[in-house]
Amino acid sequence: MTDAVIDLNADLGEGFGRWTLTDDEALLSVVTSANVACGFHAGDPSTMRRVCALAAERGVRIGAQVSYRDLAGFGRRAMDVPSEELADEIAYQIGALQVFARAAGSRVSYVKPHGALYNRVVHDDEQAEAVVSGVLRAGAVCDGPLPVLGLPGSKLLAVAEGVGLPVVAEAFADRAYTWAGTLVPRSEAGAVVHDPESVITRAVGIARDGTVTAVGGEPVAVQARSLCVHGDTPGAAQLAWRVRGALATAGVRVEPFS
């Protein structure tokens, strides 16, 4: 690939009350897009306000990271939520974040599902349609259609594209892939890549060459406009800096997609 360009995103604001998980300030000096927890799997009003203010100050795009209502399980437990209810909850989360983004002089620029919901809408048409319906409902307070960030080939991106929403394909430098290009479930050993050198190598391969090595050792095509580095990984900010530096060395421009 020539003239490669990629967005760097991370999950931020994943705390609640006195409990914190992500180093938001450090990560916001590296990433170009911030997936901000909207209160359903993590996050609270004060955290949302603070992260939006920091993101706006640094020119980082603000994204709504929507999820199932699952604070106790960090949004990573499978849930069956009726479609209309889920659509309303998606719109609710986006609207809440938009209040704080606007107060900071910015806006919600995109939507990304989190955890179990992210994995569910890879293959579940009904839940994907519910998420998209929620995004459309929130459009009235978000200056029009919001881009949807998700896994390439997912039902979510197909449904969103079908109704005219912009879609953005995403890849993960620190998650293991199957031969089919899907993420290895977190319940399986080796689902998360912990070795920093491996993460960096994978990031460059995805951004520059459009490939990643699957768990079986075979190369898998992964065409992505955004690359996620998980904020809850120990030393996430330092690793993100190393990833960004390696991308620059490899001739990859790091720019937001929105």
Side-chain angles (χ1 to χ4, degrees):
M1 294 175 65
T2 58
D3 196 30
V5 58
I6 199 87
D7 167 71
L8 276 183
N9 78 74
D11 303 342
L12 300 176
E14 291 186 325
F16 192 83
R18 297 177 62 185
W19 175 73
T20 59
L21 176 63
T22 50
D23 189 346
D24 298 326
E25 188 163 1
L27 282 164
L28 282 167
S29 67
V30 188
V31 300
T32 46
S33 295
N35 317 316
V36 184
C38 298
F40 272 34
H41 75 280
D44 56 41
S46 294
T47 301
M48 292 162 68
R49 176 189 55 78
R50 184 175 64 252
V51 174
C52 285
L54 285 169
E57 178 184 297
R58 299 178 185 186
V60 176
R61 301 299 189 267
I62 297 170
Q65 188 168 41
V66 297
S67 69
Y68 289 127
R69 189 190 295 266
D70 181 27
L71 273 177
F74 196 59
R76 287 180 175 163
R77 297 186 292 192
M79 304 183 75
D80 289 316
V81 181
S83 294
E84 281 300 302
E85 182 179 341
L86 180 58
D88 288 339
E89 291 187 343
I90 297 302
Y92 179 94
Q93 292 175 77
I94 297 168
L97 187 64
Q98 177 73 337
V99 168
F100 296 110
R102 281 299 194 195
S106 186
R107 63 185 178 88
V108 173
S109 295
Y110 65 95
V111 178
K112 174 184 172 178
H114 164 82
L117 181 59
Y118 187 99
N119 293 327
R120 181 74 170 267
V121 296
V122 169
H123 58 80
D124 190 312
D125 284 298
E126 184 177 341
Q127 296 279 278
E129 289 168 3
V131 171
V132 170
S133 292
V135 174
L136 291 172
R137 290 175 191 180
V141 297
C142 292
D143 305 319
L146 290 171
V148 175
L149 184 63
L151 202 69
S154 65
K155 297 291 186 181
L156 175 66
L157 295 194
V159 172
E161 193 169 31
V163 299
L165 290 177
V167 298
V168 182
E170 175 186 38
F172 295 82
D174 53 5
R175 287 295 308 277
Y177 279 79
T178 71
W179 63 269
T182 57
L183 300 179
V184 173
R186 282 183 176 267
S187 58
E188 297 184 15
V192 178
V193 179
H194 295 288
D195 176 58
E197 297 304 325
S198 296
V199 173
I200 292 165
T201 299
R202 292 162 71 86
V204 172
I206 291 168
R208 186 187 61 195
D209 306 319
T211 61
V212 67
T213 302
V215 288
E218 64 272 29
V220 175
V222 179
Q223 298 296 330
R225 178 61 180 85
S226 187
L227 183 66
C228 180
V229 177
H230 280 95
D232 59 349
T233 302
Q238 293 82 359
L239 179 57
W241 269 118
R242 293 185 63 189
V243 166
R244 184 156 184 169
L247 290 171
T249 300
V252 179
R253 300 197 318 275
V254 178
E255 297 177 359
F257 61 80
S258 59

